[in-house]
Amino acid sequence: MASLSLLPTFVSLSPPPSLSPSSSSSSSSSSVTCLSPGRIHTVTVHSPRWSRSAKRSLVPRSTLDEVSVIDPPPPPPPSEPKSELIESLKLKLLSAVSGLNRGLAATEDDLRKADAAAKELEDAGGLVDLSTELDKLQGRWKLIYSSAFSSRTLGGSRPGLPTGRLLPVTLGQVFQRIDILSKDFDNIAELELGAPWPLPPVEVTATLAHKFEVIGSAKIKITFEKTTVKTTGNLSQLPPLELPRIPDALRPPSNPGSGEFEVTYLDTDIRVTRGDKDELRVFVIS
């Protein structure tokens, strides 16, 4: 607490002209206005009545104006900035899914750890709003983890070709190519097809072309259009093979030709999605 003292104020006390000598035993009061920096004070001064013969005197008086200054409370202990928290949670998620061969080698314990790390990042990042963040989807994204791949099929939780070292199809890199202007949404998979000995395996790139639309704030619906298979490596000179969309009347119930998923975390270099059958996918910008 700090006290601010004003300079002495001189108050002139004189007998009022209306006083009579006989009234010297009584007292009177008068008001004096004192000016101090930033404030105006009215002080009531009590003085005895004066006789007309009393001499005028100048009495020095000092006033003390105390102003209480309360010190501000100490600042709270610094908390970890949100940006730093997000970065640490991203590293935690990437660490949880590393070494799992995109989920093909994941155990039940690996699946739980990856899911827990993803939920921490989703909670810290908050809800995704694609109405304002759609531009972040643009680009070529590399799939680094899918919880559905633990079923050991290319279809994940859905029917698909089996994969494995001793099986005829080996899964390579998987990408998603998204164009927010044309609404193109392509799933691209690099595959290695086994061939009878002594022929070498055939390397191909399969592109599943879709169109996408945003539903709600963070959900995306994709509709399949066609599949294109292109050989790579020693057979890259061969023309691509295009497989058209199967008519809806001939499409089996397990393959409706469309799907939906929710973007649960999104920034400029990592994307987390959750699809039907609770499939968790983690992508990094390529």
Side-chain angles (χ1 to χ4, degrees):
M1 178 181 296
S3 299
L4 304 179
S5 299
L6 302 180
L7 294 176
T9 304
F10 288 88
V11 182
S12 177
L13 301 179
S14 59
S18 60
L19 295 179
S20 63
S22 61
S23 60
S24 59
S25 61
S26 61
S27 63
S28 65
S29 63
S30 60
S31 297
V32 180
T33 299
C34 303
L35 301 180
S36 62
R39 301 182 64 179
I40 300 177
H41 308 274
T42 300
V43 181
T44 301
V45 180
H46 297 275
S47 61
R49 291 186 174 273
W50 298 78
S51 65
R52 293 186 180 274
S53 60
K55 295 181 179 180
R56 176 174 298 186
S57 63
L58 191 63
V59 181
R61 291 182 179 269
S62 64
T63 61
L64 182 63
D65 187 13
E66 293 188 355
V67 179
S68 298
V69 179
I70 302 176
D71 295 331
S79 59
E80 185 178 9
K82 184 175 181 180
S83 59
E84 294 183 7
L85 175 62
I86 291 292
E87 291 301 318
S88 65
L89 292 177
K90 286 164 62 174
L91 291 176
K92 182 177 180 179
L93 175 59
L94 295 177
S95 177
V97 301
S98 64
L100 301 181
N101 192 14
R102 287 144 297 164
L104 291 168
T107 64
E108 290 297 326
D109 187 55
D110 294 328
L111 295 175
R112 285 191 294 268
K113 289 181 179 179
D115 188 76
K119 285 182 178 178
E120 285 189 82
L121 179 60
E122 292 163 346
D123 292 341
L127 298 177
V128 175
D129 186 2
L130 293 179
S131 64
T132 59
E133 300 179 277
L134 186 63
D135 59 316
K136 295 180 182 179
L137 284 178
Q138 179 73 29
R140 181 181 173 96
W141 296 85
K142 179 181 178 180
L143 176 70
I144 62 172
Y145 175 78
S146 170
S147 61
F149 279 174
S150 63
S151 65
R152 307 299 192 274
T153 71
L154 294 184
S157 299
R158 308 161 191 80
L161 295 174
T163 63
R165 179 175 298 179
L166 301 178
L167 297 175
V169 179
T170 301
L171 178 65
Q173 300 295 336
V174 178
F175 301 91
Q176 280 185 349
R177 184 173 56 211
I178 304 175
D179 190 324
I180 62 174
L181 298 179
S182 63
K183 302 300 182 182
D184 289 335
F185 192 104
D186 300 336
N187 287 321
I188 305 170
E190 298 174 353
L191 304 173
E192 187 179 272
L193 308 179
W197 185 87
L199 299 177
V202 179
E203 298 177 354
V204 301
T205 297
T207 301
L208 284 71
H210 300 77
K211 290 292 185 180
F212 82 92
E213 60 178 315
V214 178
I215 302 174
S217 62
K219 183 171 288 188
I220 291 179
K221 178 180 179 180
I222 59 174
T223 302
F224 174 75
E225 291 194 328
K226 64 180 180 180
T227 299
T228 303
V229 179
K230 179 69 173 68
T231 56
T232 59
N234 296 331
L235 302 177
S236 59
Q237 70 275 10
L238 296 178
L241 175 63
E242 188 171 298
L243 305 176
R245 171 188 171 96
I246 301 176
D248 293 339
L250 303 177
R251 188 180 302 277
S254 60
N255 186 11
S258 63
E260 297 179 2
F261 62 88
E262 185 174 0
V263 181
T264 55
Y265 180 81
L266 176 65
D267 63 21
T268 56
D269 54 21
I270 191 170
R271 175 165 56 96
V272 179
T273 66
R274 292 186 181 270
D276 54 355
K277 301 186 179 181
D278 202 29
E279 178 184 2
L280 170 66
R281 292 185 178 184
V282 181
F283 297 85
V284 293
I285 197 70
S286 176

